[in-house]
Amino acid sequence: MENFTFYSPTFFAFGKDTEQQAGDLVKRFGGSKVLIHYGGGSVVRSGLLDRVKASLENAGLAFVELGGVKPNPRSGLVYEGIELCKKENVDFILAVGGGSTIDSSKAIAAGCVYDGDFWDFYCGKRIEEALPIGTILTIAAAGSEGSPDSVITKEEGMFKRGASGDAIRPKFSILNPALTQTLPAYQTACGITDIMAHLYERYLTNTKDVEVTDRLIEALLLTMIYEGPRVIENPDDYEARANIMWAGMMAHNHSCGVGRSQDWNSHTMEHELSALYDCAHGAGLAVTMPAMFKYVLDHDVMRFARVAVRVWGCQMDFDDPRKTALAGIEAFKKFLISIGMPVTFGEIGAKKEDIPKLVQSLCYGNGGEGKISGFVTLDEKDCAKIYEMMI
Ligand code: NZQ
Ligand code: ZN
């Protein structure tokens, strides 16, 4: 296991009606003037926004609002949010929504206390300081409610890039699984896929002897395989939603990733797809992962065979472990199809003729140096081949 530091100070309020604690929690973590940031309207339609406002009012807190965050959140609204917060002397940002809203809030929080352009953080500068953030999560997926990460798309060039720093870990996150019951089945399935991707990206490691995190990841993957179909079958299954919601947080607050090298090449390649075609992040991952895994399989056949046996219940073929490894990837792909995910380029509107453009942006866009690194280092030829395997 490698040396590591791990700082995860987020306070979690989990369960039914927990959004009523919003006002008290903002106060507890030092907020007095709040920006409520939200998405395209689901929180308005569900009545959640009104309940949150009532909670802030009851706590005697002043607030301003900024809605309109799009899935695959854009830089334009971040600039608007920074300006609004400065003008209104906002000292706390409350994200009400999914990963996109939370990531936009994190970008605003970092940009508010920075003299330069907030996009610097999405070009590799680490976030050291930010306004405090709280979240009320409405979809189990990105894990942004417990992560030190934010992903934003810059309209100019349509670069979708990430930024990190412990300063943008939420001070608190409110997780009420019942709030996710209004999700369309497709979005629920996208969330399940993203959670599983966060586990796989950490599982694909070059570090030896990381049994504790391996076992945690396997347990969370098994949980998703059990609970995913239950929630697709019955969207009102509170218990299944509760298990998925906590698994989503655990998959990405980094407790499963400490002390080990990780992959993230599936995410990096997917971000090009959701930037160009505006598909849901989880859908892009469902298309990317089986192709990526097959391409890098021979780098460590036994790692893929291990997850095949322990998670997907495949029989170990000791004469031909590669066969077992492939069976595990096939089982994962079948699972994705069974929950309604796309697994081919065409299904997300991607086109073969765009591959050079995707590869160019991936390997050279926004300061890229011709390759991406993770479990395996991939150059532009590798990346083109992997995109071709998705067709
Ligand atoms: O905008 P509204 O109207 O709220 O609708 C959203 C949106 O259309 C809807 N939705 C959310 N909760 C709902 C609901 N509809 C009905 N009922 C509810 N309870 O679902 C749609 C998707 O929302 P979004 O926030 O985009 O989903 P998600 O949480 O999957 O976030 C995706 C973004 O997170 C990034 C992705 O790249 C993508 O941009 N990621 C962020 C990470 C992080 N910060 O740590 C890590 C991830 O790997 C990921 O890259
Ligand atoms: Zn993700």
Side-chain angles (χ1 to χ4, degrees), residues 38-43 45-46 48 68-73 96-103 106 137-145 147-153 160 163 178-184 187 190-191 194 198 252 264 267 270-271 274 280-282 285:
Y38 58 93
S42 72
V43 301
R45 290 190 295 279
S46 67
L48 175 62
V69 181
K70 289 185 182 153
N72 306 316
V96 187
S100 295
T101 294
I102 300 174
D103 285 2
K106 287 174 171 178
L137 185 66
T138 62
I139 172 172
S144 193
E145 67 276 13
S147 84
D149 311 311
S150 159
V151 183
I152 300 290
T153 301
K160 185 174 182 182
L179 297 178
T180 68
Q181 285 173 212
T182 53
L183 277 166
Q187 287 297 342
C190 286
D194 193 18
H198 296 162
H252 201 50
W264 299 102
H267 266 68
E270 188 294 315
H271 285 162
S274 46
H281 170 59
L285 285 168

Side-chain angles (χ1 to χ4, degrees), residues 127-142:
I127 301 173
E128 304 287 357
E129 213 191 329
L131 285 184
I133 305 153
T135 85
I136 301 175
L137 185 66
T138 62
I139 172 172

Side-chain angles (χ1 to χ4, degrees), residues 285-306:
L285 285 168
V287 175
T288 305
M289 283 188 288
M292 171 69 78
F293 295 173
K294 276 184 199 154
Y295 193 81
V296 300
L297 172 69
D298 291 314
H299 177 68
D300 189 348
V301 169
M302 290 314 287
R303 186 132 280 270
F304 282 99
R306 175 179 164 145

